[in-house]
């Protein structure tokens, strides 16, 4: 009887260990803090572009003919691969921002995640 009771107590204890692994918010976030799921054009992508791209790529003065100040312009370069190619500094694309270091790796990951999700207008 004691062996059976001890077995169930040990089994019950062991089953609770995995449930406690993610006991706080920090454990639920990626190690680098960069969240790339459920990326929104308006909440996530637009602020990145406003801070780093729109001063040169806007409808008033679209450098290289690229407009990044509205969804239509951004979706065009997202769809043809040049947005990701440029921000990732891939061969064959103009590295952007021009004459500047690459964007923050998390910003690039968010842009790439939004593109991979089909670049929704959300």
């Amino acid at each position: 009887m004691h062996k059976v009771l001890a077995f169930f107590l040990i089994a019950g204890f062991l089953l609770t260990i995995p449930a406690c692994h993610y006991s706080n918010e920090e454990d639920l976030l990626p190690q680098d803090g960069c969240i790339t799921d459920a990326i929104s054009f308006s909440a996530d992508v637009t602020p990145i572009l406003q801070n780093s791209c729109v001063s040169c790529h806007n409808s008033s003065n679209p450098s290289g003919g690229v407009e990044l100040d509205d969804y239509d312009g951004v979706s065009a370069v997202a769809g043809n691969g040049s947005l990701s190619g440029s921000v990732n500094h891939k061969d064959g694309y103009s590295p952007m921002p021009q004459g500047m270091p690459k964007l923050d790796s998390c910003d690039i990951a968010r842009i790439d995640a939004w593109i991979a999700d089909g670049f929704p207008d959300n």
Side-chain angles (χ1 to χ4, degrees):
M1 176 72 176
H2 293 289
K3 288 182 180 181
V4 172
L5 180 59
F7 171 78
F8 282 111
L9 286 174
I10 292 171
F13 173 75
L14 292 175
L15 289 174
T16 63
I17 292 173
C20 297
H21 180 71
Y22 295 111
S23 59
N24 59 53
E25 185 176 353
E26 291 79 23
D27 289 339
L28 295 172
L29 295 174
Q31 290 291 47
D32 61 1
C34 185
I35 300 171
T36 58
D37 59 334
I39 298 295
S40 162
F41 176 71
S42 59
D44 300 300
V45 176
T46 296
I48 296 167
L49 300 177
Q50 288 291 329
N51 288 333
S52 303
C53 310
V54 171
S55 63
C56 295
H57 298 285
N58 56 66
S59 54
S60 300
N61 183 24
S63 180
V66 176
E67 295 179 26
L68 299 176
D69 56 358
D70 64 20
Y71 175 78
D72 291 333
V74 178
S75 65
V77 293
N80 70 19
S82 62
L83 178 59
S84 180
S86 292
V87 299
N88 281 288
H89 293 193
K90 291 181 180 175
D91 289 340
Y93 295 94
S94 296
M96 294 292 158
Q98 190 173 40
M100 303 287 289
K102 285 173 79 171
L103 296 176
D104 176 78
S105 62
C106 186
D107 288 344
I108 293 171
R110 288 180 174 146
I111 291 170
D112 286 342
W114 173 75
I115 293 170
D117 194 32
F119 43 96
D121 185 5
N122 55 0

